[in-house]
Amino acid sequence: RNLKRHMECRRDIGTLNFRFLSIYESLIPEEEEKAKQKQLLTLLEKLVSKEWPKAQLFLYGSCANSFGVSKSDIDVCLAINDADIDKSEFLLKLADILQSDNLQNVQALTRARVPIVKLKDPVTGISCDICINNVLAVVNTKLLRDYAQIDVRLRQLAFIVKHWAKSRGVNETYQGTLSSYAYVLMCIHFLQQRKPAILPCLQGMETTYSVTVDDIQCAFFDQVERLRHFGSHNKESIAQLVWAFFNYWAYHHDYANDVISIRTGSIISKREKDWTRRKGNDRHLICIEDPFETSHDLGRVVDKFSIKVLREEFERAAYIMQYDPDPCVALFEPY
Ligand code: ATP
Ligand code: MG
């Protein structure tokens, strides 16, 4: 009811929607860019299969989950069915092969948390990270992509939130703020919670897709073309949702007790997950459960300094959405 009252006060709601939708449209990658990404993937497949005929390449991350804005790098996973490969050795060899085929800036980062080879393709101008056997990321990419097909408002909201996070400097995991993946999970959870719900909980429905990866069973309903009308009882517009999203994270989320979980489509308690106190470097100051690796809190990168930064940014955004006559300027103001 508050939301409704608020939105009645904002007589410019139509203009605001129009502004958000034009920002969203301007961030969508052109078809030409998608074609170039495919072209680079085909080249990589050719080079890799010469050396490892059984290896497969998968796109993952924002170039494949439909939450990628234009000019993003691409993330590639090389899947090879060989239990005892030494990842570092493999990556060094891969880097060698790619280097000798005129790819630029080839670098093997063997000590990173997720070891990768980085490169840039001079023909398409696209940069790319290749990791080995990170199949869970390929599966969570599919889950996100499937959610995006149910209701267009998810993609709209996530583009706006990611754009805000990048502009405001709160999309930097190495500085203790959240990854793009975490922000998309926050958007999915938020739309599952609207009344009436805009998104269902795919992992709570009949299983139509199931794979087991690293002993984790990943099962969910993936016939999303059957869910196209799921959110149609909810008429909220993108401007209302952006306002309510920031309002939730600024004033209504219970940081002390709650974990958001798209796996269950609900809030679960920190106590239940044993995430109530600091363990090693994991402080659990904002808790976002990974849909498959359920012991994994995407908020674990957040420390006692960066949680303050994050919450102040949520409050700032909520304030702007409430009072600013032209919120789209201040919201995305570089920090
Ligand atoms: P951007 O547009 O910022 O590049 P992105 O969707 O590629 O966004 P990243 O946060 O770079 O987002 O993550 C890339 C992919 O890696 C995600 O889509 C997800 O599949 C996987 N991933 C990233 N972080 C995690 C994590 N902490 N746990 C599990 N999977 C993750
Ligand atoms: Mg990425």
Side-chain angles (χ1 to χ4, degrees):
R1 200 177 302 136
N2 278 341
L3 176 61
K4 203 163 157 229
R5 204 176 305 137
H6 157 75
M7 282 300 164
E8 277 163 6
C9 297
R10 279 209 83 121
R11 262 180 256 139
D12 54 352
I13 187 78
T15 321
L16 203 50
N17 272 319
F18 181 79
R19 296 269 278 145
F20 278 123
L21 289 178
S22 14
I23 293 172
Y24 161 69
E25 311 253 331
S26 70
L27 293 169
I28 297 177
E30 306 267 341
E31 278 309 311
E32 190 193 338
E33 199 178 327
K34 291 269 141 200
K36 283 184 176 172
Q37 295 179 348
K38 287 245 168 66
Q39 187 187 332
L40 174 56
L41 187 70
T42 309
L43 169 69
L44 294 173
E45 272 167 344
K46 201 181 88 200
L47 295 175
V48 165
S49 69
K50 265 194 218 155
E51 184 70 32
W52 300 283
K54 289 204 181 125
Q56 279 183 292
L57 293 187
F58 297 98
L59 285 176
Y60 74 100
S62 63
C63 58
N65 66 16
S66 66
F67 297 102
V69 303
S70 61
K71 316 245 154 36
S72 311
D73 299 349
I74 66 171
D75 299 301
V76 175
C77 168
L78 188 158
I80 182 144
N81 233 339
D82 183 351
D84 37 49
I85 57 162
D86 179 300
K87 272 196 191 174
S88 300
E89 246 173 61
F90 192 97
L91 285 169
L92 289 169
K93 184 157 182 198
L94 178 63
D96 256 1
I97 292 170
L98 300 171
Q99 188 116 47
S100 50
D101 201 89
N102 288 332
L103 290 160
Q104 293 175 335
N105 311 348
V106 180
Q107 243 183 315
L109 306 182
T110 54
R111 285 154 188 251
R113 193 180 61 83
V114 179
I116 52 169
V117 172
K118 288 179 100 57
L119 61 90
K120 182 168 177 175
D121 174 27
V123 179
T124 58
I126 297 176
S127 297
C128 160
D129 292 351
I130 307 176
C131 66
I132 313 283
N133 285 349
N134 191 1
V135 183
L136 265 180
V138 177
V139 181
N140 67 36
T141 293
K142 172 176 164 57
L143 180 70
L144 266 46
R145 185 177 57 234
D146 286 344
Y147 269 115
Q149 287 181 49
I150 299 171
D151 196 297
V152 68
R153 287 171 289 184
L154 169 59
R155 203 168 170 229
Q156 293 169 347
L157 178 66
F159 269 53
I160 299 293
V161 169
K162 274 178 70 173
H163 183 49
W164 162 83
K166 283 183 209 281
S167 312
R168 301 300 303 163
V170 288
N171 180 209
E172 312 284 352
T173 46
Y174 64 93
Q175 286 178 357
T177 54
L178 299 169
S179 66
S180 297
Y181 177 59
Y183 282 113
V184 176
L185 297 180
M186 288 158 81
C187 292
I188 294 174
H189 173 263
F190 172 77
L191 297 181
Q192 286 176 331
Q193 299 302 302
R194 300 312 291 161
K195 303 245 172 338
I198 294 180
L199 291 178
C201 168
L202 294 177
Q203 288 170 276
M205 297 168 63
E206 169 202 354
T207 299
T208 55
Y209 171 86
S210 169
V211 282
T212 304
V213 183
D214 307 336
D215 294 329
I216 298 174
Q217 198 193 353
C218 308
F220 56 94
F221 182 80
D222 76 336
Q223 296 175 0
V224 284
E225 59 289 349
R226 287 169 56 191
L227 298 172
R228 285 278 155 73
H229 301 291
F230 183 90
S232 60
H233 293 296
N234 183 312
K235 307 285 182 215
E236 287 173 303
S237 63
I238 183 63
Q240 287 171 308
L241 292 170
V242 172
W243 178 87
F245 178 87
F246 287 123
N247 209 49
Y248 172 76
W249 285 101
Y251 306 116
H252 299 293
H253 180 71
D254 182 349
Y255 288 81
N257 299 301
D258 289 354
V259 176
I260 65 157
S261 160
I262 72 158
R263 172 182 62 95
T264 57
S266 65
I267 299 267
I268 52 187
S269 76
K270 282 197 192 185
R271 215 173 334 106
E272 188 182 316
K273 306 223 41 131
D274 199 21
W275 284 354
T276 48
R277 63 211 125 77
R278 177 174 172 172
K279 282 207 203 88
N281 267 336
D282 297 4
R283 292 175 178 82
H284 304 300
L285 299 174
I286 174 172
C287 295
I288 304 160
E289 182 193 59
D290 187 86
F292 302 121
E293 279 185 285
T294 55
S295 63
H296 188 165
D297 174 9
L298 276 313
R300 69 183 179 181
V301 290
V302 178
D303 59 36
K304 69 175 195 262
F305 174 73
S306 58
I307 187 71
K308 239 183 116 225
V309 173
L310 257 181
R311 293 186 64 170
E312 279 168 12
E313 282 297 333
F314 288 136
E315 284 167 31
R316 176 184 181 275
Y319 183 88
I320 290 168
M321 286 304 295
Q322 180 98 36
Y323 297 111
D324 197 303
D326 188 9
C328 290
V329 176
L331 203 57
F332 306 113
E333 201 163 52
Y335 64 105

